[in-house]
Amino acid sequence: MQYDLIVIGGGPGGYVAAIRAAQLGMTTALVEKRDLGGTCLNRGCVPTKTLMHTANVYREAGESEALGLNFGQRSYDFAQMHERKNAVTAQLRDGIAQLLKANKVDIYQAMGQIVDANTVQAGDDTLTAKNILIAAGSVPAMPPITGSDLPGVVTSDAMLEAQGVDCNKLLIIGGGVIGVEMASIYASLGKQVTIVEAAERILPPMDREISQNLSMILKKRGVEIYTSAMVSAISKAENGLTCHFTDKKGEQTADADVVLISVGRRPCTAGLFAEGFAVEMTERGFIAVDDKFVTSVPNIYAVGDVIGRMQLAHAAEAQGIAAVEYMSGMAEASVNYDLVPSCVYTTPEIASVGITADEAKKVGLEVITGKYVMNGNAKTIIEQQDRGFIKVVFDKETEQLIGAQLMCARATDLISELVTAVSLGLTRAQLTRTMRPHPTFCEGITEAVEAAAGHSIHTAPSKR
């Protein structure tokens, strides 16, 4: 079969790129060995958020008496929670299949292996194309920890596929996005949860205050958190497993029914290239690409988790579209990583874009910052939300917005306004003039911007 483009991988980077290529007139094939939608839809973003929604409703029901509501005895059905999760993912998978069919993209349900610069073996089918786009995704990384192969030691795949993993005591190795979201789900269901993180704080790449605030909230919900902790081994215990680690206090142990290892993801490149053919890789094993997503072989491109830049579904989609448009001669611009929003779906939600004040300081950039604590926001009080805040960072010279960090209800929705503001170079004065409805969470943006100017209406002036 002869095509203009063969896409390997049916996740966000792959299927979106395939559809865009077809819209641009390219004959396109998509090769996917598992389910359409990739990790994000089947073993990542969507199932996590579906379970998170259910867990949050359960937790909020337990706090409803303050609202004048009494639901009686709460209970949940773990199997039914996962049945709904499976139904959500199936519905979205069907939608992707219909989109691909409507755009006349041929789908090959098989392992795709690149034989040479123009040939892909998809099961029993040999496909050729002018261009090849690799969007093979990633898989959970497994560090060399003694005992990591014991029954009961799992990755996020096991937690999110099929009927999931039920337990009363969960220990999570890794306090990154996956770790804290899983901790939030299980803690909201009343499970005993422990996080063991090697860095000095959870969510180490994010704003320090976000990490500190989330730690406080999780601990309030019963989660034990150990930081600066290095795991040495996992062993069998009388009633489950024991995790052995060392932190500032010395050697420690923690027992659990299940140990979740969530220390990052590695590129899914096993078997991707036939013997005798490959593209250049980075030291960490990701596929090396230039700013147009071209590999060391000029007509082979790569996007998404497999290149390791920002392992986010929306980043992969943007990369896939950019790569296809570049190969079609439409554009030369690449993805601006300063405009990629990062989101964490804990409660409260976390979202950020651009740079923080600390990052600006490191590069010698003078900034003006504004912060609004959401405790005074009417919608936050109405909905009984936990302590949160909105921070904005402006370039001191131009007064243009260059970054924002949010930790509040609906932060993952609110961030879009600030992404737009950063992309357009909107100034503090322009953002101040924007009228936002009342009562809403987005009023906090107005207050944070006003705070940067030193004249917030709803925040008491700081003592000087």
Side-chain angles (χ1 to χ4, degrees):
M1 298 294 293
Q2 177 72 40
Y3 293 94
D4 293 321
L5 174 65
I6 299 170
V7 179
I8 299 177
Y15 83 78
V16 170
I19 291 171
R20 183 61 178 141
Q23 291 172 345
L24 293 172
M26 299 184 196
T27 54
T28 307
L30 176 68
V31 182
E32 170 55 60
K33 64 181 179 180
R34 298 181 71 175
D35 293 320
L36 290 173
T39 295
C40 176
L41 177 53
N42 299 288
R43 299 170 298 281
C45 319
V46 173
T48 305
K49 281 57 180 178
T50 305
L51 294 172
M52 183 77 75
H53 174 69
T54 303
N56 285 342
V57 171
Y58 180 80
R59 178 179 54 79
E60 289 167 4
E63 302 167 352
S64 63
E65 287 188 8
L67 303 176
L69 302 175
N70 192 331
F71 295 108
Q73 184 65 38
R74 285 185 307 153
S75 66
Y76 66 87
D77 186 324
F78 193 81
Q80 183 59 38
M81 287 174 57
H82 281 269
E83 284 299 325
R84 179 173 187 271
K85 173 213 69 183
N86 295 337
V88 169
T89 57
Q91 180 179 341
L92 292 171
R93 269 198 311 270
D94 290 345
I96 293 171
Q98 291 170 18
L99 285 171
L100 290 166
K101 182 179 179 180
N103 284 278
K104 297 181 171 55
V105 176
D106 291 343
I107 302 172
Y108 293 84
Q109 191 80 36
M111 169 72 183
Q113 185 176 67
I114 302 174
V115 178
D116 58 40
N118 300 98
T119 308
V120 172
Q121 192 67 34
D124 295 330
D125 295 301
T126 301
L127 316 177
T128 60
K130 179 181 177 181
N131 295 302
I132 296 170
L133 175 64
I134 302 168
S138 62
V139 294
M142 287 294 288
I145 298 173
T146 301
S148 60
D149 57 347
L150 288 171
V153 180
V154 300
T155 67
S156 57
D157 282 1
M159 301 291 280
L160 296 171
E161 287 182 314
Q163 296 304 311
V165 179
D166 196 4
C167 63
N168 290 317
K169 296 172 68 175
L170 173 65
L171 185 140
I172 303 170
I173 300 175
V177 175
I178 296 171
V180 298
E181 289 187 350
M182 284 294 179
S184 296
I185 292 169
Y186 280 76
S188 292
L189 296 176
K191 310 293 189 179
Q192 184 178 328
V193 181
T194 303
I195 297 175
V196 179
E197 166 58 45
E200 65 174 0
R201 55 191 173 91
I202 60 173
L203 295 180
M206 303 203 80
D207 178 82
R208 180 173 294 274
E209 189 174 358
I210 285 176
S211 299
Q212 292 170 342
N213 200 43
L214 181 60
S215 290
M216 180 181 70
I217 290 170
L218 288 176
K219 288 176 181 178
K220 183 180 175 183
R221 294 176 186 164
V223 178
E224 274 193 284
I225 300 175
Y226 296 90
T227 54
S228 300
M230 298 301 297
V231 176
S232 57
I234 303 167
S235 63
K236 289 183 179 179
E238 184 176 349
N239 295 312
L241 298 165
T242 299
C243 180
H244 305 262
F245 59 94
T246 303
D247 66 1
K248 295 175 183 177
K249 296 180 179 179
E251 294 185 2
Q252 305 269 16
T253 61
D255 294 332
D257 303 326
V258 171
V259 173
L260 165 63
I261 296 181
S262 59
V263 295
R265 300 181 66 84
R266 59 181 177 82
C268 187
T269 54
L272 180 60
F273 300 101
E275 187 175 351
F277 181 82
V279 298
E280 184 181 339
M281 303 284 189
T282 69
E283 290 183 3
R284 296 178 57 204
F286 294 97
I287 294 178
V289 296
D290 63 16
D291 61 353
K292 299 177 180 66
F293 307 103
V294 182
T295 70
S296 56
V297 178
N299 64 304
I300 298 181
Y301 299 72
V303 298
D305 285 10
V306 79
I307 67 173
R309 293 187 178 180
M310 295 188 82
Q311 294 182 320
L312 299 168
H314 45 282
E317 288 190 11
Q319 292 167 355
I321 291 172
V324 166
E325 291 185 348
Y326 173 71
M327 71 177 70
S328 70
M330 282 186 60
E332 293 191 9
S334 189
V335 175
N336 184 347
Y337 290 100
D338 291 335
L339 301 178
V340 179
S342 296
C343 299
V344 186
Y345 292 81
T346 49
T347 304
E349 293 181 345
I350 297 166
S352 64
V353 67
I355 66 173
T356 66
D358 287 342
E359 289 168 341
K361 185 178 180 180
K362 287 180 182 178
V363 298
L365 181 64
E366 287 193 88
V367 297
I368 302 169
T369 62
K371 175 185 170 183
Y372 177 65
V373 177
M374 296 288 280
N375 291 16
N377 174 263
K379 196 70 182 294
T380 298
I381 297 170
I382 290 167
E383 297 198 9
Q384 295 183 295
Q385 296 295 319
D386 283 295
R387 180 187 184 277
F389 56 85
I390 294 176
K391 290 182 181 180
V392 287
V393 183
F394 295 93
D395 181 285
K396 186 175 182 179
E397 181 179 352
T398 65
E399 293 203 350
Q400 291 178 324
L401 185 71
I402 57 174
Q405 299 81 45
L406 288 68
M407 187 175 187
C408 59
R410 303 297 182 189
T412 61
D413 296 313
L414 299 181
I415 196 65
S416 293
E417 176 185 343
L418 297 169
V419 173
T420 302
V422 174
S423 70
L424 295 177
L426 296 186
T427 65
R428 186 173 58 178
Q430 289 171 318
L431 286 168
T432 300
R433 287 195 295 268
T434 301
M435 189 181 297
R436 298 177 180 86
H438 173 77
T440 59
F441 296 116
C442 67
E443 287 180 285
I445 296 174
T446 301
E447 296 298 329
V449 174
E450 292 278 12
H455 48 69
S456 178
I457 300 297
H458 296 94
T459 301
S462 58
K463 295 181 180 179
R464 297 183 184 277

